[in-house]
Amino acid sequence: EVQLAESGGGSVESGGSLRLSCSTSNYPHRSGSLAWFRQAPGKEREGIAAIDYDDSATYVDAVKGRFTISRDKAKKTLLLQMNSLKPEDTAMYYCVGDGARSGAYVIEYGLGPLAVWGQGTQVTVSS
């Protein structure tokens, strides 16, 4: 059973916007945090934004002020609004759930061994 499923990726020009969605309907945890990770070609995966169940959000400096993570609780959906996109934002974006760790901990130290990953959605930003 797929627990996390992303959508909304695509191609956009530099300066444009995209909104990623992640269905969490089948994700069983109601503790810990949900996060967005990304992996660019030839680079390691990095956590860029995370949100706790009290809606506290944490961002890495590279996306702070441009990206906004949020949850639509009624639709059981995790969102990532991405504005002022840059070519260096080009990557595969993943929705991730960690039932044990806070968002701030996930961004600072990484995920725990039981983290759940979505299949990813590609974002490409052209200059």
Side-chain angles (χ1 to χ4, degrees), residues 13 17 27 29-30 33 41 46 54 59 66 68 75 93:
E13 293 186 350
S17 298
Y27 182 68
H29 298 291
R30 294 299 178 264
S33 59
E46 63 169 341
D54 65 358
Y59 301 91
R66 299 188 299 123
T68 302
K75 296 182 180 178
Y93 283 70

Side-chain angles (χ1 to χ4, degrees), residues 4 27 29-37 49-54 56 58 69 71 78 95-107 110-111 115-116:
L4 299 171
Y27 182 68
H29 298 291
R30 294 299 178 264
S31 61
S33 59
L34 294 167
W36 288 98
F37 276 63
I51 189 166
D52 296 335
Y53 281 89
D54 65 358
S56 299
T58 305
I69 189 171
R71 293 187 302 133
L78 179 70
C95 173
V96 189
D98 191 317
R101 299 182 175 191
S102 71
Y105 191 98
V106 164
I107 295 299
L111 296 161
V116 176

